Amino acid sequence: MSLWEEAEKAAHADEELEGVIENVIFSNEQNGYSVCELDTGEELVTVVGIMPYINAGESIKARGKWETHNAYGKQFKIEYYEKQLPATKESIVKYLSSGMIKGVGAVTAKRIVEQFGDDTFDVIESHPEWLTDIKGINLKKAQEISDSFKSQFGVRSIMMFCRDFFGPATIMKIYKKWGSASVDTINQNPYCLCDEIYGIGFDKADRLAESIGFAKDSAFRIAAGIKYALSYNAMNNGHTYIPREKLITLVAELLSVDAELVEAPLASLEIAREVVTAEVKGRSCTFLTDYYDAEKYTVNKMALLDAACEKTSIDDIEYMINQIEIEEDVSYARLQRKAIIAAINNGVMILTGGPGTGKTTIIRAVIRIYERMGFSIALAAPTGRAAKRMSEATQCEAKTIHRLLDMEYLAGEKTKFRRNEYDLLDESVIIIDEASMVDSLLMAALLKAIKPGARLMIIGDADQLPSVGAGHVLCDLIDSDRFATVRLTEIFRQAQESRIITNAHAINNGELPVLTDKKGDFFYLSRENEADIIPTIVDLCRNRPPKTYGADFRDSIQVITPSHKGTAGTETLNASLQAVLNYRDGRKREKKFRNLIFREGDKVMQIKNNYEIEWERYDEKGSGIFNGDIGIIEAIDFATESMRINFDERVCQYEFGKLEELEHAYAITIHKSQGSEYPIVIMPLYRCSPRLLTRNLLYTAVTRAQRIVILVGTASVVQTMVENNRLAKRYTALREFLEKE
């Protein structure tokens, strides 16, 4: 059965068109989406859809549906098409000499057709070496002609082969990777898709493998399953390793194979060093190589930085502290002075403490002293919002760690940082805030770029939720007792006036927060019936604070909730809040995706790291929108199948094919709020999974607020969360590696 017959059988469309491409109005090289004018011989028709490598002058046969677009009128949306090769010798010459085939001009085209006649296209595609019989064509040029011809037609086979499993943009990535060999490559080992193509996970590759009859006990499948199990647990559970025996059992259950079949592929991965097995706490444990190397490198580089630090006289540091106290009219507490001295006099220093304990005051003092000592300083934080807060608090420029390291992304490859061990940072002091969010891979990347002899100051609240990525870096560093560490415990007088801060510390100490104070900055609205929680939150977002503080204050409200699901999870809250805060008015364009409607003006969040998305901010250009970034949909363009989204002044064109990476952000989970602060935080209190009703989750939620916290729901949920000090176990080796160093 031909590709066209397969498409005809599979398609639900009921129309066909044939004609010549008159004009290509728009074409996206990344995903193949194009808008063209097609001359059918009777009329000029606008056709839209995935048509990679389409050119004016080509003949096509297309199947699809007629649509009437609100802005662009009647158009034909293609579901499948194929290029029609010219049949006569004259038309073949005209086609070859049109400029679409690299390396072939009018004279060469005529010579090829005179030599091979009706077999011309078969020779070009299958026997390019025969072209060397033509004057002016050597073997290299013959191959270039063949490759150019295949690029015009070869993509259709992979489009058909993968159409039930991947979207057009992903299929284009596959074709760009392997070209006309794509189908053969996948048939030999479909699990190569997991390793080679960004955005394809094990599940999708496994479904494709099953469809082509790939054996369930294949060594390729088991090896991919091992890496998937390790990767999944790193991304979703924060583990940098899994005990080896536990991993074998896990993979056997995941793949429905006997456990003994896992041993050989695991050994092969170890030999190839795609995974590393090492002893941790007396157990044989298996890491993905990147995580093992990251934790080992962190240990070695931090030890080097600490050992290479030149000591400064304590008396000199005390003198500079006294000078700053006089100039700034401040008086540092005992622990604050201790922290400042430790930061100046150690290669690595860790500062931890809750809100209101003076961390920012210490950072400002340390910056002043280092400036007097002639040191250059870099300030950074894991997220854009955290970096912005750091800048505002210190009055010094702060960057994201990714920007500090000059991140770049090359399609199909891992994230790369231009700043690394071969291109070190110039600064002599690196100060990192919100370090609880820094995962193992990012910490290692940062350390690679710090020059020997430089100082590293790490600041964060160890009682907040751990990083989204794998590792437990801040806590492991503190618990190892390997480096100078100061834990701030005193709440300063001004901070004591804030019920947000005093309640946060009460929660952290296992005490119930005060819920009865109606005059402060911490409010509790009792709603014993959980069905009343969402209407109350909707009313708060639409009416109450805006009436009190002004209409613009509505943009300062962030609803954060423990879960996606449940009575007041993000799914239900976002639907309710969108309906009142950005309702359908007939003027705003909108795009339906699965069960969501994205509308111009919507507040949205990126839910996975995507290093490929390009953005512009004033005169600056860059790439990468990351998990947790929040933006506003400014415009939706159906002609280019994209929307313009503003992520904190980084404006990007966001293709419809990436919409699975977006969700509404009127309400977000507490995990996603890490590293950010909002003027007003509203949090629902309702029954959900016990795993999410924990003390550190409540503590993190409360400490996200700058001015006001509003809890809505039942007081018993607060009590449950405060009493539940269960911390999710993470398998990490950093602490043990540090203690053995």
Side-chain angles (χ1 to χ4, degrees):
M1 184 180 292
S2 71
L3 289 172
W4 179 260
E5 289 170 331
E6 287 185 43
E8 198 166 29
K9 181 178 179 181
H12 300 294
D14 53 5
E15 295 280 351
E16 291 180 11
L17 282 182
E18 290 188 53
V20 178
I21 299 295
E22 183 73 18
N23 182 32
V24 179
I25 299 170
F26 171 82
S27 183
N28 186 318
E29 292 185 5
Q30 297 302 312
N31 62 15
Y33 181 82
S34 303
V35 180
C36 307
E37 290 180 321
L38 182 72
D39 185 355
T40 66
E42 299 178 356
E43 61 178 333
L44 202 61
V45 175
T46 299
V47 294
V48 302
I50 305 301
M51 295 177 283
Y53 306 115
I54 202 75
N55 294 282
E58 291 184 297
S59 298
I60 67 167
K61 183 178 182 180
R63 175 174 284 279
K65 296 178 181 178
W66 288 102
E67 294 181 342
T68 301
H69 192 278
N70 291 337
Y72 303 103
K74 187 178 180 182
Q75 57 189 25
F76 190 78
K77 186 170 184 179
I78 287 178
E79 293 191 2
Y80 176 77
Y81 86 103
E82 66 178 19
K83 297 179 182 181
Q84 301 289 95
L85 289 172
T88 66
K89 291 183 179 180
E90 292 77 10
S91 61
I92 293 173
V93 171
K94 185 177 180 181
Y95 173 80
L96 289 177
S97 59
S98 66
M100 287 183 282
I101 306 300
K102 183 180 178 182
V104 179
V107 174
T108 303
K110 186 176 180 181
R111 289 173 178 169
I112 293 173
V113 175
E114 286 176 351
Q115 177 82 3
F116 300 109
D118 294 341
D119 296 325
T120 293
F121 291 132
D122 181 58
V123 169
I124 292 173
E125 183 172 15
S126 304
H127 306 286
E129 68 277 7
W130 295 0
L131 294 175
T132 57
D133 293 342
I134 307 297
K135 183 181 178 181
I137 300 179
N138 57 25
L139 189 59
K140 180 181 178 182
K141 186 174 181 180
Q143 192 59 54
E144 287 177 351
I145 293 170
S146 180
D147 291 343
S148 180
F149 178 80
K150 289 176 182 178
S151 73
Q152 299 293 322
F153 294 91
V155 71
R156 64 193 177 103
S157 61
I158 189 65
M159 283 282 185
M160 288 301 299
F161 187 74
C162 294
R163 69 182 185 276
D164 294 333
F165 304 96
F166 312 121
T170 301
I171 294 174
M172 286 297 294
K173 290 180 189 176
I174 296 171
Y175 182 73
K176 286 180 178 180
K177 180 72 178 178
W178 295 307
S180 57
S182 296
V183 173
D184 289 340
T185 300
I186 295 170
N187 272 320
Q188 289 173 15
N189 176 16
Y191 298 97
C192 64
L193 292 165
C194 305
D195 294 328
E196 302 289 341
I197 308 298
Y198 173 79
I200 297 182
F202 174 81
D203 287 342
K204 289 183 179 180
D206 199 40
R207 286 198 297 272
L208 189 153
E210 183 179 17
S211 75
I212 62 176
F214 219 74
K216 285 189 173 294
D217 59 357
S218 159
F220 288 130
R221 181 172 187 258
I222 295 172
I226 292 168
K227 290 186 286 186
Y228 169 70
L230 290 167
S231 177
Y232 178 89
N233 276 280
M235 291 186 291
N236 293 276
N237 298 319
H239 302 319
T240 59
Y241 70 83
I242 298 177
R244 196 175 192 277
E245 290 305 313
K246 186 172 183 178
L247 174 65
I248 290 172
T249 301
L250 177 65
V251 172
E253 292 176 355
L254 172 71
L255 303 182
S256 299
V257 298
D258 293 336
E260 55 265 26
L261 293 177
V262 180
E263 293 279 3
L266 178 54
S268 297
L269 290 173
E270 290 167 344
I271 292 169
R273 209 175 182 273
E274 293 188 59
V275 303
V276 174
T277 296
E279 185 177 295
V280 181
K281 299 176 183 176
R283 305 171 74 180
S284 181
C285 300
T286 302
F287 303 70
L288 284 172
T289 303
D290 285 349
Y291 291 105
Y292 177 82
D293 289 347
E295 293 196 307
K296 276 291 189 181
Y297 187 88
T298 296
V299 170
N300 296 331
K301 185 61 176 284
M302 291 187 79
L304 173 64
L305 291 175
D306 206 39
C309 175
E310 294 183 9
K311 299 295 182 181
T312 303
S313 164
I314 300 296
D315 289 341
D316 289 345
I317 300 174
E318 289 276 13
Y319 174 78
M320 287 185 280
I321 293 173
N322 293 337
Q323 287 295 108
I324 293 172
E325 284 185 323
I326 294 169
E327 294 168 8
E328 300 288 334
D329 191 22
V330 296
S331 178
Y332 298 115
R334 181 186 63 82
L335 276 179
Q336 288 182 312
R337 294 180 77 91
K338 179 182 177 182
I340 296 168
I341 293 170
I344 301 299
N345 230 8
N346 288 279
V348 176
M349 186 268 176
I350 302 164
L351 177 65
T352 186
T357 56
K359 295 192 297 295
T360 301
T361 301
I362 293 169
I363 298 172
R364 286 198 292 257
V366 169
I367 291 171
R368 290 285 301 276
I369 292 174
Y370 273 130
E371 286 175 341
R372 294 186 180 194
M373 295 172 67
F375 286 81
S376 54
I377 306 164
L379 307 182
T383 67
R385 287 174 177 265
K388 185 177 180 181
R389 287 194 295 106
M390 194 180 189
S391 294
E392 292 168 349
T394 61
Q395 298 301 302
C396 298
E397 182 189 12
K399 302 176 180 179
T400 63
I401 298 175
H402 290 82
R403 187 178 169 209
L404 176 70
L405 300 180
D406 202 2
M407 185 201 78
E408 65 176 340
Y409 179 82
L410 301 176
E413 298 183 18
K414 296 178 181 177
T415 311
K416 288 186 177 180
F417 296 105
R418 292 188 178 93
R419 295 291 195 165
N420 52 36
E421 61 267 52
Y422 307 110
D423 186 7
L424 298 169
L425 293 169
D426 298 323
E427 290 82 3
S428 300
V429 178
I430 313 296
I431 302 177
I432 304 297
D433 199 9
E434 292 287 356
S436 63
M437 298 180 65
V438 177
D439 60 43
S440 295
L441 297 181
L442 186 58
M443 177 56 77
L446 172 66
L447 289 166
K448 285 179 182 178
I450 299 176
K451 62 186 180 184
R455 291 163 167 82
L456 173 63
M457 184 178 183
I458 300 171
I459 304 138
D461 187 345
D463 294 314
Q464 286 188 22
L465 295 170
S467 59
V468 174
H472 210 182
V473 174
L474 179 61
C475 287
D476 282 350
L477 290 175
I478 293 170
D479 293 343
S480 73
D481 201 26
R482 177 65 179 74
F483 305 104
T485 301
V486 176
R487 181 184 288 272
L488 302 174
T489 54
E490 179 185 353
I491 307 175
F492 289 93
R493 186 179 63 185
Q494 185 176 358
Q496 289 175 356
E497 298 173 2
S498 167
R499 186 63 73 183
I500 293 174
I501 291 176
T502 56
N503 274 343
H505 283 273
I507 291 166
N508 201 35
N509 293 330
E511 303 166 6
L512 288 174
V514 175
L515 303 179
T516 54
D517 187 349
K518 302 297 183 183
K519 297 180 181 179
D521 53 9
F522 193 105
F523 301 95
Y524 166 63
L525 302 180
S526 176
R527 295 295 184 270
E528 293 303 318
N529 184 349
E530 290 192 352
D532 296 331
I533 293 176
I534 287 185
T536 301
I537 290 176
V538 168
D539 183 52
L540 286 167
C541 292
R542 181 173 55 179
N543 297 319
R544 298 198 209 178
K547 282 183 179 178
T548 304
Y549 302 102
D552 292 342
F553 212 65
R554 180 181 288 125
D555 295 334
S556 301
I557 298 171
Q558 183 60 60
V559 179
I560 59 178
T561 182
S563 176
H564 288 290
K565 307 291 185 181
T567 304
T570 56
E571 292 180 1
T572 310
L573 275 166
N574 275 315
S576 300
L577 290 167
Q578 183 195 35
V580 297
L581 299 180
N582 192 35
Y583 53 87
R584 179 179 294 169
D585 61 6
R587 298 190 302 273
K588 299 172 185 172
R589 282 170 288 189
E590 54 186 47
K591 167 66 178 175
K592 189 176 189 302
F593 178 75
R594 295 177 181 167
N595 62 334
L596 299 177
I597 292 178
F598 292 107
R599 187 173 296 135
E600 290 175 337
D602 269 343
K603 186 178 182 180
V604 293
M605 172 180 278
Q606 178 75 12
I607 59 172
K608 65 181 291 188
N609 290 340
N610 189 320
Y611 304 98
E612 295 180 303
I613 299 175
E614 296 180 348
W615 51 260
E616 294 186 8
R617 177 170 51 200
Y618 310 117
D619 295 331
E620 180 187 3
K621 292 184 178 181
S623 64
I625 301 295
F626 303 111
N627 188 357
D629 285 350
I630 291 179
I632 301 294
I633 298 175
E634 295 184 336
I636 296 176
D637 188 341
F638 289 100
T640 60
E641 293 212 334
S642 68
M643 53 181 68
R644 186 174 72 246
I645 305 179
N646 188 328
F647 289 96
D648 248 348
E649 305 306 324
R650 292 171 299 158
V651 179
C652 66
Q653 293 299 127
Y654 207 100
E655 298 171 2
F656 288 172
K658 294 185 173 72
L659 289 181
E660 63 183 12
E661 298 178 8
L662 279 186
E663 61 183 29
H664 291 112
Y666 299 101
I668 63 176
T669 63
I670 297 169
H671 283 89
K672 295 290 188 184
S673 73
Q674 284 178 267
S676 298
E677 285 187 351
Y678 314 95
I680 298 180
V681 165
I682 300 175
M683 177 184 171
L685 302 171
Y686 66 102
R687 293 289 169 188
C688 59
S689 169
R691 293 177 62 250
L692 297 172
L693 296 179
T694 62
R695 183 185 301 173
N696 68 340
L697 206 73
L698 179 60
Y699 173 76
T700 300
V702 170
T703 55
R704 297 310 88 209
Q706 295 170 317
R707 294 176 58 178
I708 298 171
V709 167
I710 305 174
L711 304 182
V712 181
T714 61
S716 61
V717 172
V718 175
Q719 183 171 348
T720 297
M721 296 183 82
V722 170
E723 292 175 351
N724 181 7
N725 198 29
R726 174 186 176 273
L727 299 176
K729 169 69 176 175
R730 287 192 171 196
Y731 290 123
T732 65
L734 181 59
R735 177 181 176 180
E736 177 157 333
F737 289 167
L738 282 165
E739 291 172 344
K740 287 182 176 180
E741 190 270 331

